[in-house]
Amino acid sequence: MPTITPNLWFDTQGEQAAEFYVSVFPNSEIKDVSYYGEGAPRPAGTVLTVDFVLDGAHFTAINGGPDFTFDEAVSFSIDCADQEEVDYYWAKLSEGGEEGPCGWLKDRYGLSWQVVPSALPELLSDPDPERARRAMQAMLGMKKLDVAALHAAADGTE
């Protein structure tokens, strides 16, 4: 199988972004940093790419210039075991960024994340369509997802 590595395009902040992401996720590290050489489109010696690992997943940050920016068409989903994990990742990643609806946020670098408790897909696929509908309606009204509130909505006890 070939290796698939997401490449994240930054203007000049690839190294700072990689350092930030590595500080947020467990079992993460910077693996390699490469630099522009002479005759490159950026000054020699400035960071070109940063290879890093986030809890086992490989990424590359590239400082390619201001031509491209992130948007919500691509996001990374974080499957959280419980509310504590949701709260942790939401607080870390939204700091300096922007909260969005339904568990989505943009971090300080403009990258979109979905912070999702494991309870959500279970509730949304509940065999009782009314429970699933109530959970969906509750989720649509939230920014950071609240596991207890999702369960209460599904149960009709909100």
Side-chain angles (χ1 to χ4, degrees):
M1 291 285 295
T3 301
I4 299 172
T5 303
N7 279 256
L8 307 175
W9 182 289
F10 295 88
D11 180 5
T12 61
Q13 351 49 341
E15 187 172 28
Q16 295 87 347
E19 289 170 351
F20 171 65
Y21 300 139
V22 164
S23 77
V24 170
F25 292 91
N27 308 312
S28 299
E29 64 180 324
I30 304 280
K31 299 294 272 184
D32 188 49
V33 179
S34 69
Y35 300 90
Y36 281 101
E38 293 298 326
R42 293 280 175 108
T46 59
V47 173
L48 170 61
T49 63
V50 181
D51 295 320
F52 60 105
V53 176
L54 300 181
D55 202 16
H58 292 261
F59 292 83
T60 297
I62 181 169
N63 286 332
D67 300 326
F68 303 109
T69 58
F70 298 119
D71 67 29
E72 293 82 358
V74 173
S75 64
F76 294 103
S77 181
I78 306 167
D79 299 322
C80 299
D82 53 28
Q83 189 67 51
E84 184 178 358
E85 282 190 2
V86 168
D87 293 346
Y88 170 81
Y89 289 110
W90 189 268
K92 293 288 189 181
L93 292 169
S94 67
E95 184 180 316
E98 179 183 326
E99 296 183 356
C102 307
W104 288 61
L105 63 85
K106 282 187 182 181
D107 67 29
R108 64 183 77 165
Y109 301 101
L111 189 59
S112 292
W113 298 85
Q114 298 175 56
V115 184
V116 182
S118 60
L120 183 64
E122 294 167 15
L123 290 169
L124 296 180
S125 62
D126 192 287
D128 178 347
E130 274 307 300
R131 288 193 84 225
R133 184 193 63 73
R134 289 190 300 264
M136 173 67 79
Q137 286 306 118
M139 181 204 64
L140 292 173
M142 296 178 182
K143 287 190 179 220
K144 178 177 75 170
L145 299 181
D146 181 324
V147 176
L150 289 168
H151 278 286
D155 294 340
T157 61
E158 58 178 331

